[in-house]
Amino acid sequence: MSVEPAVATDRGAERPPVGWAEARARVYAAGRADAVASVEVPLVEADGLTLAEPLTTLTDLPAFPTSSVDGWAVRGNGPWRVVGRVLAGGTPPPLTEDGTTMEIATGAMLPAGASEVLRIEESTRTADGRVAGTPRTAREWRVPGEEAYAGEELLPAGSPVGPGVVGLAASCGYDRLRVHPAPRAAVLVFGDELLTDGPPQAGRVRDSLGPAVPAWLRRYGATVAPAAVIGPVADTLPAHVAALRQALAGVDLICTTGGTMHGPVDHLHPALAELGAEYVVNTVAVRPGFPMLLARITGPDGRNRYVAGLPGNPQSAIVALVSLVAPLLAGLQGRPAPLLPYVTLAEPVAGRGDYTHLALVRVDPVLGTATPVRHVGSAMLRGLAQADGFAVIEPGSNGEAGTRVPVVPLPLLAGVRS
């Protein structure tokens, strides 16, 4: 994998665009190298974060033999004389004599000396009060280590923490987990032509990315404070530099919207040059959205921060998010590189020559098929709002109906962090 050698300049776009797959690999590697430092957090605060070390068991699971049914823990042959009762949470005395039994609840510790467990619904009582019945041949209790042995790795580092992981860690006895916290992100909106409220009018259009990009970032695991969404920033170089410098102080990633080309009011490239940035990726051979970029800036503390330049056209900006920002955030969280599932095209999708084409599609999860959606121009969001992801049409090819292609899924509500 090659590495972009040049520092940011306002003439960076003259270099050939990077292939889409290579761009994703580059930005993931950059993020992984600069993964957010791990911290220990209380178990109840770990949901949505990422394991920074493997989750191993602190004891056998279960730690002691427990009954899996309500019934009778018996020793020897029946009928059995009742000598006690054990409930969940108690420590029973041992059964020391054949022909004796203790009533036992589901989840209760099996008394030492018990040979079998008889289900309560399959037992009867004799006239003299003893318990009779035939225990099943299958074991009716859980043995220590049945789920895992002490020290066994249950999940590797880099695993996302969800409710299932929180519950598993609690069952192992964890009170705190070492995790990579959520990367902190900011959004800078560029463009004097943008309105922040009301309908478009008088040559000015409504900003759709300022409200939307933070929501996408949260779904990819980042945190975006309300005060970290800034703009529209004035279309001047000093204003761009000042906004970038201010935002860089408190975040790991800045997403900018617009200004990624080299027009008369596109100031992102010269602003990055003034801040001493280095390109990780500068333009990508993908349609729509090719004038995207990712730059790295080393702060006074020696830590790297990242600036993702998203094109101003709304759909192109989201293409840049799924192409560059999603793998970068995976790396910054210490997670594995995103793997793309495959779907079968239900209808043909045109290629884009030497460029990768990311085509908005609806996915049928039952049939595993993808159907292109309408209203997919670079400046449109109607198709995006109805889509499940982007079908990936490789350079130099067309997506014929029946072809298996990768799909970049759009994140749903799961994993949102405030």
Side-chain angles (χ1 to χ4, degrees):
M1 181 181 67
S2 61
V3 177
E4 189 82 358
V7 296
T9 71
D10 60 358
R11 300 182 62 80
E14 293 180 359
R15 288 186 294 277
V18 180
W20 184 76
E22 181 183 349
R24 285 171 62 82
R26 280 193 197 180
V27 299
Y28 173 75
R32 195 68 183 86
D34 289 323
V36 181
S38 64
V39 295
E40 269 200 359
V41 301
L43 188 59
V44 294
E45 296 177 11
D47 182 35
L49 304 180
T50 306
L51 290 178
E53 57 189 19
L55 181 68
T56 59
T57 50
L58 303 177
T59 180
D60 290 343
L61 288 182
F64 46 83
T66 58
S67 179
S68 53
V69 298
D70 292 329
W72 303 94
V74 302
R75 173 168 175 160
N77 296 322
W80 298 274
R81 176 171 56 88
V82 180
V83 296
R85 168 194 263 185
V86 56
L87 302 177
T91 302
L95 286 173
T96 58
E97 298 180 26
D98 287 349
T100 58
T101 183
M102 287 185 188
E103 187 177 5
I104 192 167
T106 300
M109 184 177 183
L110 194 71
S115 55
E116 293 170 299
V117 174
L118 171 66
R119 290 183 174 227
I120 193 76
E121 67 270 21
E122 296 175 2
S123 68
T124 59
R125 302 296 287 265
T126 63
D128 60 359
R130 288 181 295 170
V131 174
T134 303
R136 296 188 181 187
T137 55
R139 188 181 69 236
E140 298 279 23
W141 68 91
R142 307 177 183 101
V143 298
E146 183 176 302
E147 183 175 0
Y149 290 106
E152 185 176 343
E153 181 176 315
L154 303 177
L155 292 168
S159 298
V161 179
V165 177
V166 171
L168 177 61
S171 73
C172 292
Y174 283 89
D175 301 313
R176 302 174 68 85
L177 286 177
R178 180 158 289 278
V179 295
H180 292 290
R184 300 161 302 165
V187 177
L188 301 185
V189 178
F190 297 152
D192 286 341
E193 77 282 7
L194 299 175
L195 294 170
T196 56
D197 54 45
Q201 57 182 307
R204 302 180 69 191
V205 297
R206 179 67 186 270
D207 170 36
S208 61
L209 294 176
V213 170
W216 290 108
L217 292 173
R218 293 184 185 106
R219 280 159 176 75
Y220 284 119
T223 61
V224 187
V229 182
I230 302 167
V233 176
D235 278 335
T236 67
L237 178 57
H240 280 49
V241 172
L244 285 164
R245 184 172 281 130
Q246 177 183 355
L248 283 166
V251 299
D252 306 292
L253 166 68
I254 297 174
C255 286
T256 66
T257 68
T260 57
M261 295 291 283
H262 296 268
V265 291
D266 291 334
H267 301 294
L268 179 58
H269 289 281
L272 291 172
E274 186 163 330
L275 293 170
E278 178 186 20
Y279 288 122
V280 179
V281 169
N282 183 14
T283 71
V284 179
V286 64
R287 297 284 187 174
F290 82 96
M292 62 182 74
L293 65 88
L294 184 77
R296 177 171 44 220
I297 298 175
T298 304
D301 58 359
R303 285 189 55 238
N304 289 326
R305 277 81 168 178
Y306 289 89
V307 178
L310 314 181
N313 275 328
Q315 191 194 150
S316 295
I318 307 309
V319 168
L321 272 170
V322 303
S323 298
L324 300 185
V325 177
L328 174 75
L329 287 174
L332 289 174
Q333 293 172 89
R335 296 185 178 182
L339 297 177
L340 303 183
Y342 276 72
V343 294
T344 300
L345 293 177
E347 297 177 11
V349 178
R352 292 292 185 93
D354 294 333
Y355 285 66
T356 297
H357 181 199
L358 294 193
L360 284 169
V361 292
R362 290 294 302 270
V363 175
D364 186 321
V366 176
L367 299 177
T369 57
T371 303
V373 300
R374 299 176 182 271
H375 308 290
V376 294
S378 294
M380 297 180 181
L381 288 173
R382 183 174 173 181
L384 181 73
Q386 302 172 24
D388 299 308
F390 292 92
V392 181
I393 309 302
E394 300 290 341
S397 69
N398 286 300
E400 304 295 341
T403 304
R404 296 270 294 167
V405 299
V407 65
V408 184
L410 292 172
L412 302 176
L413 294 177
V416 177
R417 297 188 66 84
S418 60

Short mmCIF file of all heavy atoms in Angstrom, two decimals, residues 322-351:
data_model
loop_
_atom_site.label_atom_id
_atom_site.label_comp_id
_atom_site.label_asym_id
_atom_site.label_seq_id
_atom_site.Cartn_x
_atom_site.Cartn_y
_atom_site.Cartn_z
N VAL A 322 -18.78 7.40 3.92
CA VAL A 322 -18.70 5.94 3.96
C VAL A 322 -17.37 5.45 3.40
O VAL A 322 -16.91 4.36 3.76
CB VAL A 322 -19.88 5.29 3.20
CG1 VAL A 322 -21.21 5.76 3.78
CG2 VAL A 322 -19.83 5.53 1.71
N SER A 323 -16.75 6.25 2.53
CA SER A 323 -15.50 5.82 1.90
C SER A 323 -14.29 6.05 2.79
O SER A 323 -13.42 5.16 2.91
CB SER A 323 -15.29 6.56 0.57
OG SER A 323 -16.33 6.28 -0.34
N LEU A 324 -14.19 7.22 3.41
CA LEU A 324 -13.00 7.60 4.17
C LEU A 324 -13.25 7.67 5.67
O LEU A 324 -12.44 7.18 6.46
CB LEU A 324 -12.46 8.95 3.68
CG LEU A 324 -12.04 9.04 2.21
CD1 LEU A 324 -11.42 10.42 1.94
CD2 LEU A 324 -11.05 7.94 1.85
N VAL A 325 -14.34 8.30 6.08
CA VAL A 325 -14.54 8.56 7.50
C VAL A 325 -14.87 7.28 8.26
O VAL A 325 -14.38 7.05 9.37
CB VAL A 325 -15.62 9.62 7.71
CG1 VAL A 325 -15.89 9.84 9.19
CG2 VAL A 325 -15.20 10.94 7.05
N ALA A 326 -15.70 6.41 7.67
CA ALA A 326 -16.07 5.17 8.37
C ALA A 326 -14.85 4.30 8.67
O ALA A 326 -14.66 3.87 9.81
CB ALA A 326 -17.11 4.40 7.56
N PRO A 327 -13.96 4.02 7.69
CA PRO A 327 -12.78 3.22 8.05
C PRO A 327 -11.81 3.94 8.97
O PRO A 327 -11.17 3.32 9.81
CB PRO A 327 -12.14 2.89 6.69
CG PRO A 327 -12.76 3.80 5.70
CD PRO A 327 -14.09 4.18 6.23
N LEU A 328 -11.71 5.28 8.84
CA LEU A 328 -10.85 6.02 9.76
C LEU A 328 -11.35 5.86 11.19
O LEU A 328 -10.56 5.58 12.11
CB LEU A 328 -10.82 7.50 9.38
CG LEU A 328 -10.05 8.38 10.38
CD1 LEU A 328 -8.55 8.20 10.23
CD2 LEU A 328 -10.45 9.85 10.23
N LEU A 329 -12.65 6.04 11.41
CA LEU A 329 -13.20 5.92 12.75
C LEU A 329 -13.07 4.50 13.29
O LEU A 329 -12.87 4.30 14.49
CB LEU A 329 -14.66 6.37 12.77
CG LEU A 329 -14.87 7.89 12.65
CD1 LEU A 329 -16.35 8.21 12.52
CD2 LEU A 329 -14.29 8.61 13.86
N ALA A 330 -13.19 3.50 12.42
CA ALA A 330 -12.96 2.13 12.88
C ALA A 330 -11.54 1.98 13.41
O ALA A 330 -11.31 1.39 14.46
CB ALA A 330 -13.22 1.15 11.74
N GLY A 331 -10.57 2.55 12.67
CA GLY A 331 -9.19 2.48 13.13
C GLY A 331 -8.97 3.23 14.42
O GLY A 331 -8.29 2.74 15.34
N LEU A 332 -9.53 4.44 14.53
CA LEU A 332 -9.35 5.24 15.74
C LEU A 332 -9.96 4.56 16.96
O LEU A 332 -9.53 4.80 18.09
CB LEU A 332 -9.98 6.62 15.55
CG LEU A 332 -9.27 7.59 14.59
CD1 LEU A 332 -10.09 8.85 14.39
CD2 LEU A 332 -7.87 7.94 15.11
N GLN A 333 -10.96 3.71 16.75
CA GLN A 333 -11.58 2.98 17.86
C GLN A 333 -10.93 1.63 18.12
O GLN A 333 -11.37 0.89 19.00
CB GLN A 333 -13.07 2.78 17.58
CG GLN A 333 -13.86 4.08 17.57
CD GLN A 333 -15.28 3.87 17.10
OE1 GLN A 333 -16.18 3.58 17.88
NE2 GLN A 333 -15.50 4.01 15.79
N GLY A 334 -9.88 1.30 17.34
CA GLY A 334 -9.22 0.03 17.53
C GLY A 334 -10.00 -1.16 17.04
O GLY A 334 -9.76 -2.30 17.44
N ARG A 335 -10.96 -0.92 16.15
CA ARG A 335 -11.78 -2.00 15.62
C ARG A 335 -11.18 -2.57 14.33
O ARG A 335 -10.39 -1.90 13.67
CB ARG A 335 -13.20 -1.50 15.35
CG ARG A 335 -13.93 -1.08 16.61
CD ARG A 335 -15.37 -0.70 16.36
NE ARG A 335 -16.04 -0.34 17.61
CZ ARG A 335 -17.31 -0.01 17.71
NH1 ARG A 335 -18.07 0.04 16.61
NH2 ARG A 335 -17.84 0.28 18.89
N PRO A 336 -11.57 -3.77 13.94
CA PRO A 336 -11.10 -4.31 12.66
C PRO A 336 -11.58 -3.45 11.49
O PRO A 336 -12.58 -2.73 11.60
CB PRO A 336 -11.74 -5.71 12.61
CG PRO A 336 -12.10 -6.04 14.02
CD PRO A 336 -12.42 -4.73 14.68
N ALA A 337 -10.86 -3.53 10.39
CA ALA A 337 -11.27 -2.82 9.19
C ALA A 337 -12.65 -3.32 8.76
O ALA A 337 -12.92 -4.52 8.81
CB ALA A 337 -10.26 -3.03 8.07
N PRO A 338 -13.54 -2.40 8.34
CA PRO A 338 -14.89 -2.83 7.95
C PRO A 338 -14.84 -3.80 6.77
O PRO A 338 -14.14 -3.57 5.78
CB PRO A 338 -15.57 -1.51 7.55
CG PRO A 338 -14.77 -0.43 8.21
CD PRO A 338 -13.36 -0.94 8.25
N LEU A 339 -15.58 -4.89 6.89
CA LEU A 339 -15.73 -5.84 5.81
C LEU A 339 -17.06 -5.61 5.12
O LEU A 339 -18.07 -5.31 5.77
CB LEU A 339 -15.66 -7.28 6.34
CG LEU A 339 -14.34 -7.70 6.98
CD1 LEU A 339 -14.45 -9.12 7.54
CD2 LEU A 339 -13.20 -7.60 5.98
N LEU A 340 -17.07 -5.73 3.80
CA LEU A 340 -18.27 -5.44 3.03
C LEU A 340 -19.01 -6.73 2.69
O LEU A 340 -18.42 -7.66 2.12
CB LEU A 340 -17.90 -4.69 1.74
CG LEU A 340 -17.14 -3.38 1.93
CD1 LEU A 340 -16.89 -2.71 0.58
CD2 LEU A 340 -17.88 -2.43 2.87
N PRO A 341 -20.30 -6.81 3.01
CA PRO A 341 -21.09 -7.97 2.57
C PRO A 341 -21.36 -7.89 1.07
O PRO A 341 -21.13 -6.85 0.43
CB PRO A 341 -22.39 -7.82 3.37
CG PRO A 341 -22.51 -6.35 3.62
CD PRO A 341 -21.11 -5.83 3.76
N TYR A 342 -21.84 -8.98 0.52
CA TYR A 342 -22.16 -9.04 -0.91
C TYR A 342 -23.66 -9.18 -1.11
O TYR A 342 -24.37 -9.77 -0.29
CB TYR A 342 -21.44 -10.22 -1.57
CG TYR A 342 -20.03 -9.91 -1.97
CD1 TYR A 342 -19.03 -9.76 -1.02
CD2 TYR A 342 -19.68 -9.73 -3.32
CE1 TYR A 342 -17.73 -9.46 -1.37
CE2 TYR A 342 -18.37 -9.43 -3.68
CZ TYR A 342 -17.41 -9.30 -2.71
OH TYR A 342 -16.12 -8.99 -3.07
N VAL A 343 -24.12 -8.61 -2.21
CA VAL A 343 -25.52 -8.73 -2.63
C VAL A 343 -25.55 -9.08 -4.11
O VAL A 343 -24.54 -8.95 -4.81
CB VAL A 343 -26.30 -7.42 -2.39
CG1 VAL A 343 -26.41 -7.11 -0.91
CG2 VAL A 343 -25.65 -6.27 -3.14
N THR A 344 -26.72 -9.52 -4.56
CA THR A 344 -26.93 -9.79 -5.99
C THR A 344 -27.76 -8.67 -6.58
O THR A 344 -28.84 -8.34 -6.05
CB THR A 344 -27.64 -11.14 -6.17
OG1 THR A 344 -26.84 -12.18 -5.61
CG2 THR A 344 -27.87 -11.42 -7.65
N LEU A 345 -27.27 -8.07 -7.66
CA LEU A 345 -28.01 -6.98 -8.29
C LEU A 345 -29.28 -7.51 -8.94
O LEU A 345 -29.24 -8.41 -9.77
CB LEU A 345 -27.13 -6.29 -9.34
CG LEU A 345 -25.91 -5.52 -8.81
CD1 LEU A 345 -25.11 -4.96 -9.97
CD2 LEU A 345 -26.33 -4.41 -7.85
N ALA A 346 -30.41 -6.91 -8.54
CA ALA A 346 -31.68 -7.29 -9.14
C ALA A 346 -31.90 -6.59 -10.46
O ALA A 346 -32.69 -7.04 -11.29
CB ALA A 346 -32.83 -6.98 -8.18
N GLU A 347 -31.23 -5.45 -10.68
CA GLU A 347 -31.31 -4.68 -11.92
C GLU A 347 -29.91 -4.22 -12.27
O GLU A 347 -29.03 -4.14 -11.40
CB GLU A 347 -32.23 -3.46 -11.74
CG GLU A 347 -33.67 -3.80 -11.42
CD GLU A 347 -34.51 -2.55 -11.19
OE1 GLU A 347 -34.02 -1.44 -11.48
OE2 GLU A 347 -35.64 -2.69 -10.70
N PRO A 348 -29.67 -3.91 -13.55
CA PRO A 348 -28.32 -3.46 -13.93
C PRO A 348 -27.99 -2.08 -13.34
O PRO A 348 -28.87 -1.24 -13.14
CB PRO A 348 -28.38 -3.42 -15.45
CG PRO A 348 -29.82 -3.31 -15.79
CD PRO A 348 -30.56 -4.02 -14.72
N VAL A 349 -26.69 -1.88 -13.07
CA VAL A 349 -26.18 -0.60 -12.60
C VAL A 349 -24.98 -0.24 -13.48
O VAL A 349 -24.04 -1.02 -13.60
CB VAL A 349 -25.73 -0.67 -11.13
CG1 VAL A 349 -25.15 0.67 -10.68
CG2 VAL A 349 -26.89 -1.07 -10.22
N ALA A 350 -25.03 0.93 -14.08
CA ALA A 350 -23.97 1.34 -14.99
C ALA A 350 -22.67 1.58 -14.24
O ALA A 350 -22.66 2.02 -13.08
CB ALA A 350 -24.37 2.60 -15.74
N GLY A 351 -21.54 1.29 -14.90
CA GLY A 351 -20.24 1.62 -14.34
C GLY A 351 -19.89 3.08 -14.62
O GLY A 351 -20.62 3.80 -15.30
#
